[in-house]
Amino acid sequence: MTNSGIYAIILYIEKDQWCIKMQNSSMDNALRLLTEKQCKAVVTESKKTAVVAGPGSGKTRVLTERICYLISEKGVNPSQILALTFTNKAANEMRKRVLDRLGAECNFVGIKTFHKLGLELLRNYCELINYESEFEIADPSTKNNIIREILNDENIPKNRIVELAQKISYIKNGLDVSDRETSEVFEKYNQELERKGMFDLDDFIWRSVPLLKERPLIQQQYHDKFKYILVDEYQDINFLQKEFIDLICGNEAEIFVVGDDDQCIYEWRGSSPSLLREFVKGEDVEVIRLEDNFRSEKEIVELSDVLIKNNFQRIIKAVTSKKKNSDKALMKDKIKYGNYPSDAEEARAITNAIIKLNKENAYDFGDIAILVRTNKQVAAITEIFEKNKIPYIEYTQGDNGFIEFIKVILTVNNFRSSKNIYSAINFPNRIIGNIAYKKLVDENGWKGSNNSDVFRKLYLSDIDFKNRNLFKARYELLKSLSEEKSDLSSVEIIKKLLDYYTFEDAKKSTERNKHIEQVEQILAIAEKYEEDFQATANIQEFIDFLQLTLQNEDEPSLSNGKVNIMTCHKAKGLEFPVVFIPGVQVGVFPNDFFVHNKADLEQERRLFYVTMTRAIDFLFITSYDNPLYVAPTNSVIKRSFISEISKGLSKM
């Protein structure tokens, strides 16, 4: 590292790209190929910088290069850098790139999701709000169970669980969706969480902000620690997250934000593109626009730009394509459109196009994505796929098998707790059911004892009952692993559990228990986690990572060899050689159910823009109704998206 802020930079052109060369650099005087504006962002001396980055413009590369530049050229201590993003995928990608450049030095850089930083803060200071440091994270099923009990007590129909769970999340993300009934459920829900000593995912920011505001000394600790704050996807932050950033940042730190208001698609859960627009207009803010799209074909870039220009409120950008053609992308028309009499006919046309792409252009099925506005569109597509034996994967949220195994490792982490031990004893298959458990409690006078005490007494007793030996073996395993947890990594603990479950299953079953396969998947995640972080993780760290990952609905793990079917929202941050967007007609996309005013319509158009710009080589847009029809009763939607881009469409 250099010890001073003095450095020399040479800019020159090589193969139509701007390059940056560091003089006397600790990066072995390597050439870093960057565009002129990317280079400008990386080496800026401004205290406040806003990088407005269009789709495919290399924002992750800029963030990575900025971190490396601060460390290698400016002599910044890696531990003084905090980079915040929204998904584990983005954080891991950034971390990996920095690791490739700087080696183990990058482990001291704080590259985290917002939720991870909030979780760490609560782990460190939870006693100030009367929580134990081993608090647990409420998964979606736990959250729903708490709400179900509240609704039962209040005689509210149970079919409102999902609605109220969403409203609770919205409130904790700063949205005003409260009525008297919701407010009462919200209050009781939080009381029950506190009684159980748990936080839900949204609490990591919602509870951290008041803790920071009320404790200036904690604020100061973060101000002293982090001198350089980088924020990815700034257009997706909500007002509470902005307050969280401001409290962490203080007045002295340099702040460097990257975002694109045209790609804000989460307003329905609190995000506000206005926050990026306001930041850009701030005093002494250097604004740098990244407008070169290296991802998509020229036609795709130009047509998506035509679409988004129909939005009135936006930061003006002049996006151009810099993509080099691949051998596969030789077909003349890069964007095709087809209109069909029904969703079944639309699905058949999509299927035929995919078969042709696979045979004639040699696109693997895994290169192809079908991005739907709503889940209701999926059935017609999957039905025709199955008839034609086209492999596909449909992304759905959550996996109960994973949730059940998490209860096993939570028990290993805190064997004294009674919260999860019943589920842990009954994994990977039930050996003591509810009726048998209640009978054992009643017959032995253990009524009033918690689950942990009941199982301890049962283990120490000579009571004979069905599956007694199996129970004792599982209890001993969990107890011994808990006693050894400080000497074992998460990978070692999961391997020991997997070895036991495999041995137990082999003795009594001819068909492999699917839950064991899920343990294998969790083990693979743990091994990848340790590889990415270049360090062994204790079980608490890994549980936190796993629960944050599994509860993040926007991070599908793409599979090889299968057509990817997912919602447009899930596709954010991804890219595919071939993209199909079905149902582009008023009523589906734009979805008039969600459009009540001009701001809603602009958000819907941004979602279509983001979906279009996922495509690398080819974009197929389809509809199964009159794509130009707009109901005269709709006072907001004046015309369809197809009418806005019709001049750039070729027939499918």
Side-chain angles (χ1 to χ4, degrees):
M1 284 188 197
T2 57
N3 294 318
S4 70
I6 300 173
Y7 54 92
I9 303 166
I10 297 176
L11 288 176
Y12 60 96
I13 295 177
E14 181 180 285
K15 296 179 182 178
D16 297 324
Q17 279 194 304
W18 281 83
C19 302
I20 175 173
K21 182 175 182 178
M22 305 294 185
Q23 293 278 314
N24 302 317
S25 171
S26 62
M27 295 187 289
D28 299 323
N29 292 319
L31 299 178
R32 305 298 167 202
L33 290 177
L34 299 166
T35 68
E36 180 182 6
K37 289 181 179 178
Q38 286 174 338
C39 176
K40 186 178 179 183
V42 167
V43 303
T44 181
E45 291 292 299
S46 299
K47 189 174 180 180
K48 295 179 182 178
T49 306
V51 179
V52 180
S57 61
K59 69 177 182 62
T60 303
R61 185 180 187 185
V62 165
L63 282 164
T64 302
E65 292 292 334
R66 176 67 179 168
I67 292 169
C68 294
Y69 172 78
L70 288 172
I71 295 169
S72 296
E73 298 303 312
K74 297 286 298 217
V76 173
N77 187 324
S79 64
Q80 292 182 321
I81 299 172
L82 173 65
L84 289 173
T85 188
F86 281 89
T87 67
N88 285 302
K89 179 186 174 185
N92 290 341
E93 175 64 21
M94 211 181 303
R95 189 179 296 107
K96 184 178 183 302
R97 293 191 189 192
V98 177
L99 176 66
D100 289 343
R101 292 282 304 284
L102 300 183
E105 206 169 11
C106 87
N107 289 327
F108 298 101
V109 179
I111 302 176
K112 308 173 189 292
T113 64
F114 282 90
H115 285 132
K116 174 65 172 172
L117 182 63
L119 172 57
E120 288 176 355
L121 189 151
L122 292 178
R123 286 260 181 238
N124 290 333
Y125 301 105
C126 57
E127 74 281 356
L128 298 176
I129 48 177
N130 299 317
Y131 272 78
E132 294 182 1
S133 60
E134 291 180 336
F135 65 75
E136 293 181 14
I137 302 170
D139 57 55
S141 64
T142 301
K143 183 175 179 178
N144 288 344
N145 287 337
I146 293 173
I147 296 170
R148 183 179 290 108
E149 291 173 7
I150 295 169
L151 299 191
N152 189 51
D153 292 342
E154 299 295 322
N155 294 317
I156 302 172
K158 289 189 175 65
N159 61 7
R160 296 192 58 204
I161 290 173
V162 173
E163 171 204 340
L164 287 164
Q166 282 186 331
K167 283 187 172 181
I168 287 168
S169 180
Y170 292 159
I171 292 168
K172 290 187 177 184
N173 280 281
L175 289 172
D176 182 13
V177 295
S178 289
D179 48 53
R180 192 178 76 175
E181 187 178 72
T182 303
S183 296
E184 289 175 359
V185 173
F186 181 78
E187 184 178 357
K188 290 181 178 180
Y189 167 78
N190 288 316
Q191 288 172 353
E192 185 62 15
L193 271 188
E194 289 190 23
R195 191 187 70 77
K196 291 177 177 290
M198 304 179 86
F199 291 109
D200 67 23
L201 192 70
D202 297 309
D203 283 330
F204 300 149
I205 305 298
W206 189 68
R207 298 295 298 267
S208 291
V209 166
L211 182 58
L212 285 166
K213 289 170 75 173
E214 293 163 11
R215 305 276 178 165
L217 289 177
I218 299 178
Q219 275 189 59
Q220 192 59 50
Q221 288 177 18
Y222 281 95
H223 298 173
D224 293 341
K225 180 175 176 60
F226 296 121
K227 303 298 185 184
Y228 300 85
I229 315 288
L230 300 91
V231 185
D232 189 17
E233 305 284 13
Y234 196 85
Q235 79 280 348
D236 288 335
I237 68 168
N238 58 40
F239 288 92
L240 200 62
Q241 288 161 342
K242 181 187 182 300
E243 191 171 10
F244 183 62
I245 294 168
D246 291 344
L247 290 166
I248 292 290
C249 189
N251 296 321
E252 299 304 317
E254 287 188 11
I255 183 161
F256 181 98
V257 311
V258 179
D260 178 9
D261 60 330
D262 287 336
Q263 297 186 69
C264 178
I265 60 174
Y266 298 117
E267 279 188 279
W268 50 274
R269 68 185 190 195
S271 299
S272 177
S274 65
L275 293 173
L276 177 61
R277 294 169 192 151
E278 289 169 7
F279 190 97
V280 165
K281 294 175 184 176
E283 187 178 350
D284 299 325
V285 173
E286 181 182 15
V287 180
I288 301 167
R289 288 172 168 78
L290 303 185
E291 298 166 309
D292 292 334
N293 184 315
F294 296 96
R295 174 193 298 149
S296 303
E297 291 287 335
K298 178 182 177 183
E299 294 90 335
I300 297 169
V301 171
E302 290 179 348
L303 194 64
S304 58
D305 192 49
V306 167
L307 172 88
I308 201 62
K309 282 178 178 175
N310 286 280
N311 273 5
F312 177 72
Q313 296 187 63
R314 58 187 295 262
I315 300 169
I316 301 301
K317 291 168 282 292
V319 181
T320 56
S321 175
K322 297 292 184 181
K323 177 184 177 291
K324 295 178 180 178
N325 286 337
S326 66
D327 292 337
K328 289 183 180 180
L330 297 177
M331 194 164 68
K332 182 180 177 183
D333 299 317
K334 306 300 180 185
I335 306 173
K336 291 196 171 187
Y337 170 72
N339 179 44
Y340 305 93
S342 68
D343 59 348
E345 289 297 319
E346 178 189 45
R348 186 172 288 108
I350 290 171
T351 302
N352 291 337
I354 288 173
I355 292 170
K356 185 176 180 181
L357 283 163
N358 179 247
K359 288 182 178 178
E360 296 183 11
N361 294 68
Y363 279 103
D364 184 84
F365 288 122
D367 293 332
I368 300 168
I370 300 177
L371 308 182
V372 297
R373 178 61 183 90
T374 70
N375 288 322
K376 292 178 182 178
Q377 297 173 258
V378 172
I381 296 167
T382 55
E383 182 180 348
I384 193 75
F385 271 20
E386 287 168 8
K387 286 180 181 177
N388 286 270
K389 296 183 179 179
I390 292 181
Y392 69 90
I393 182 165
E394 179 188 347
Y395 294 97
T396 55
Q397 185 179 353
D399 191 308
N400 289 332
F402 289 159
I403 290 170
E404 290 306 308
F405 181 66
I406 289 174
K407 292 179 180 179
V408 175
I409 52 180
L410 281 166
T411 300
V412 170
N413 190 47
N414 186 3
F415 196 69
R416 297 167 298 162
S417 172
S418 64
K419 293 174 191 169
N420 302 296
I421 193 167
Y422 179 84
S423 296
I425 289 293
N426 282 299
F427 186 92
N429 60 301
R430 183 168 293 190
I431 58 172
I432 303 178
N434 290 329
I435 295 173
Y437 181 79
K438 188 176 184 302
K439 185 179 177 182
L440 285 166
V441 170
D442 292 342
E443 288 179 350
N444 293 283
W446 294 337
K447 199 170 183 180
S449 299
N450 63 39
N451 290 345
S452 182
D453 286 340
V454 168
F455 282 129
R456 181 179 58 82
K457 292 171 183 176
L458 193 60
Y459 172 73
L460 295 173
S461 74
D462 294 325
I463 298 168
D464 191 26
F465 58 95
K466 186 181 179 181
N467 293 324
R468 177 177 180 271
N469 292 335
L470 202 51
F471 160 73
K472 287 208 165 191
R474 289 186 183 181
Y475 187 91
E476 284 176 0
L477 175 69
L478 295 170
K479 183 173 181 291
S480 64
L481 286 175
S482 184
E483 290 169 350
E484 298 170 24
K485 69 176 184 178
S486 59
D487 298 320
L488 298 172
S489 70
S490 57
V491 167
E492 291 169 328
I493 289 172
I494 295 168
K495 276 183 178 177
K496 287 177 182 289
L497 288 164
L498 179 60
D499 288 345
Y500 171 77
Y501 294 143
T502 304
F503 170 74
E504 180 189 282
D505 191 56
K507 288 170 57 179
K508 64 182 180 62
S509 176
T510 55
E511 186 175 332
R512 199 154 188 259
N513 190 316
K514 68 175 184 179
H515 288 140
I516 295 177
E517 294 178 359
Q518 290 165 337
V519 178
E520 290 175 337
Q521 292 174 15
I522 298 272
L523 175 60
I525 293 171
E527 290 173 334
K528 183 70 165 58
Y529 176 89
E530 293 194 356
E531 178 188 336
D532 288 345
F533 285 83
Q534 292 199 331
T536 55
N538 65 45
I539 196 66
Q540 181 66 72
E541 289 173 352
F542 181 67
I543 290 169
D544 288 346
F545 170 80
L546 191 60
Q547 289 191 297
L548 289 177
T549 300
L550 293 179
Q551 289 196 51
N552 193 320
E553 65 180 353
D554 303 313
E555 293 189 50
S557 298
L558 303 181
S559 85
N560 294 322
K562 296 180 181 180
V563 176
N564 303 279
I565 304 175
M566 68 183 73
T567 62
C568 301
H569 284 98
K570 277 187 182 291
K572 177 85 185 307
L574 303 176
E575 58 184 41
F576 304 91
V578 181
V579 167
F580 287 82
I581 312 176
V584 183
Q585 61 204 48
V586 176
V588 183
F589 207 175
N591 195 317
D592 52 1
F593 180 80
F594 300 107
V595 177
H596 307 293
N597 51 51
K598 289 182 179 179
D600 291 339
L601 181 58
E602 292 211 348
Q603 180 181 196
E604 195 78 356
R605 190 178 285 109
R606 287 197 297 271
L607 180 59
F608 189 40
Y609 173 75
V610 167
T611 309
M612 291 175 72
T613 56
R614 300 309 93 198
I616 298 173
D617 296 338
F618 297 112
L619 174 63
F620 292 80
I621 299 171
T622 60
S623 57
Y624 59 88
D625 203 345
N626 183 345
L628 303 179
Y629 175 76
V630 179
T633 55
N634 192 303
S635 60
V636 179
I637 303 175
K638 303 298 184 185
R639 58 179 184 162
S640 67
F641 291 155
I642 292 298
S643 67
E644 295 177 358
I645 59 173
S646 58
K647 291 181 181 179
L649 299 176
S650 301
K651 189 174 180 180
M652 243 173 101

